[in-house]
Amino acid sequence: MTASTDAHADLARLGEEFEAAADGVATRDAWDALRVDWVGRKQGRLRDLMQRMKDLDGADRPAYGQAVNRLKKSVEARLEALDATLTAAEKAATDAAAAIDVTLPGRRPRLGSLHPVTRTARDIEQIFTELGYSVAEGPEIEDDFHNFEALNFPHDHPARDTQDTFFVDLPGRSDLVLRTHTSPVQIRTMLARAEPPIRVICPGRVYRNDNDLRHSPMFHQVEGLAIDEGLSLGDLKGTLDAFLKRLFGAETEIRLRPSFFPFTEPSAEVDITCAACRGSGCQTCSHTGWMEILGCGMVDPRVLRACDIDPDRYSGYAFGLGIDRVAMNRYGIPNIRTLFDNDERLLRQVRG
């Protein structure tokens, strides 16, 4: 058998081999591999066939060259047809993926939700509004008189120190602070009213130089004040009992423990039955069954007198609680910093 006969036999075999490989192409990657294998410029099989011409006799070369060209045109035509088929399939898949099924329900937009502190503050305001209280606000930068002096804080009280209070440095003023409580709003309310009765709550942001798992340099507080003739400690306890039962549930019990605040006398800390164990004792309440929730007391006569209210005729009570702490108890949030991390997962969890 001559070299020319062997070459033509190889061409026929290669044509059959290409057709078999082309029949198995179903993806773009397989098409690319087939193209490179057969018509690649560096190592394509058709390129190798053309290089074999130098081994043939001069008389056999024209017929061999024509046969190789016919095989090349057949391979290129089949590759072009496969490319068109794959392109059409890819376009159909893209169109199907982008198609809109008008029978499907629409995608609902994500609903926003109120921050747990905002929800708690609004609940508190709603409760006291129904009890006949109004809502008052005041500036967050206060002077020493409204923040300390009128509230019977002695000049050597620790709250006046720089380690407890943020002082505001302004030219010509040395008595400005970031308010440490919302009690200055109570002072401003009493000074603005001609005479009692007064029933007001004062929610807002306050600032103290404190930062740990349960404390933040900025937090939210709401304080309440009632001034009228004949108000007593019994009125204070009844008001707080009604408020806390509305806020935490009708089964909630309260107790008052003696305490001290410069602006009330007598003063008390108020505990509620633990929301986690309902008074049976757990780690949350240190196995006491009680949780401290707020401070309160009867307004000190010197505070009334500083606000031009006759303490011999009028009496009053005041109370205050941290909104953030209440929100943590209501929604099971262990770290106060979580409230201020701007994490949407918290809002979705609270919304339910």
Side-chain angles (χ1 to χ4, degrees):
M1 185 177 293
T2 65
S4 176
T5 303
D6 290 342
H8 283 284
D10 287 344
L11 288 176
R13 177 179 55 81
L14 287 173
E16 294 175 356
E17 184 178 338
F18 172 78
E19 290 299 329
D23 290 340
V25 172
T27 65
R28 178 62 64 180
D29 289 342
W31 180 86
D32 283 333
L34 182 67
R35 179 186 59 80
V36 171
D37 186 32
W38 283 88
V39 297
R41 293 183 178 182
K42 293 184 178 181
Q43 55 184 7
R45 294 192 184 191
L46 295 179
R47 180 178 179 277
D48 294 339
L49 290 175
M50 295 300 294
Q51 291 180 348
R52 292 182 61 179
M53 291 183 64
K54 65 180 183 295
D55 298 330
L56 301 177
D57 295 335
D60 297 328
R61 289 179 182 177
Y64 178 79
Q66 293 174 3
V68 170
N69 284 334
R70 286 194 298 271
L71 177 60
K72 180 180 180 182
K73 290 181 179 180
S74 174
V75 168
E76 290 176 344
R78 185 65 189 279
L79 287 172
E80 185 176 349
L82 287 173
D83 179 45
T85 301
L86 291 171
T87 300
E90 290 167 354
K91 183 178 184 303
T94 301
D95 292 343
I100 298 176
D101 187 349
V102 296
T103 65
L104 292 175
R107 294 187 181 95
R108 293 183 179 181
R110 273 188 172 180
L111 297 178
S113 64
L114 294 176
H115 193 277
V117 172
T118 301
R119 291 180 60 156
T120 302
R122 291 189 179 183
D123 289 344
I124 292 173
E125 291 177 15
Q126 179 66 27
I127 294 171
F128 278 107
T129 299
E130 294 175 3
L131 291 175
Y133 287 71
S134 59
V135 179
E137 296 180 346
E140 295 182 15
I141 297 180
E142 274 290 2
D143 56 46
D144 181 85
F145 172 78
H146 291 91
N147 198 81
F148 293 123
E149 188 72 25
L151 289 163
N152 199 37
F153 279 84
H155 290 282
D156 58 351
H157 194 280
R160 293 174 179 260
D161 295 339
T162 55
Q163 65 263 29
D164 291 323
T165 301
F166 292 105
F167 287 83
V168 179
D169 186 13
L170 289 179
R173 296 293 300 268
S174 60
D175 62 337
L176 298 180
V177 299
L178 293 180
R179 65 182 182 187
T180 59
H181 43 192
T182 56
S183 298
V185 184
Q186 299 180 14
I187 299 298
R188 291 179 178 274
T189 299
M190 287 188 284
L191 290 172
R193 298 284 181 91
E195 61 179 50
I198 297 172
R199 285 180 176 81
V200 64
I201 61 169
C202 313
R205 285 187 293 266
V206 297
Y207 306 86
R208 295 180 190 175
N209 195 4
D210 201 356
N211 188 16
D212 56 40
L213 292 178
R214 295 188 176 184
H215 300 86
S216 171
M218 184 281 297
F219 58 100
H220 300 81
Q221 192 178 59
V222 59
E223 297 192 17
L225 173 72
I227 305 292
D228 204 347
E229 295 183 9
L231 290 183
S232 67
L233 193 62
D235 298 309
L236 169 60
K237 183 177 180 181
T239 300
L240 295 179
D241 185 63
F243 160 61
L244 294 171
K245 278 180 165 55
R246 280 283 305 277
L247 189 63
F248 291 103
E251 70 282 359
T252 302
E253 299 293 335
I254 74 169
R255 71 177 185 183
L256 276 63
R257 292 181 291 107
S259 186
F260 171 77
F261 303 107
F263 36 85
T264 55
E265 179 61 37
S267 305
E269 299 281 1
V270 179
D271 300 331
I272 62 172
T273 48
C274 178
C277 65
R278 297 302 177 189
S280 60
C282 65
Q283 290 185 345
T284 302
C285 60
S286 301
H287 301 283
T288 64
W290 296 93
M291 296 180 64
E292 180 182 322
I293 197 65
L294 60 85
C296 66
M298 302 301 295
V299 179
D300 192 295
R302 284 171 287 193
V303 174
L304 296 177
R305 194 173 291 112
C307 297
D308 298 325
I309 295 177
D310 184 0
D312 295 326
R313 178 181 177 186
Y314 297 104
S315 61
Y317 57 78
F319 53 87
L321 69 157
I323 301 176
D324 309 302
R325 186 72 60 83
V326 174
M328 291 169 65
N329 289 336
R330 295 181 82 192
Y331 300 111
I333 301 171
N335 189 335
I336 192 173
R337 299 188 186 104
T338 306
L339 294 172
F340 310 116
D341 284 343
N342 295 327
D343 192 335
E344 289 185 5
R345 294 174 298 178
L346 174 65
L347 301 184
R348 290 195 294 270
Q349 175 184 340
V350 170
R351 185 180 64 210

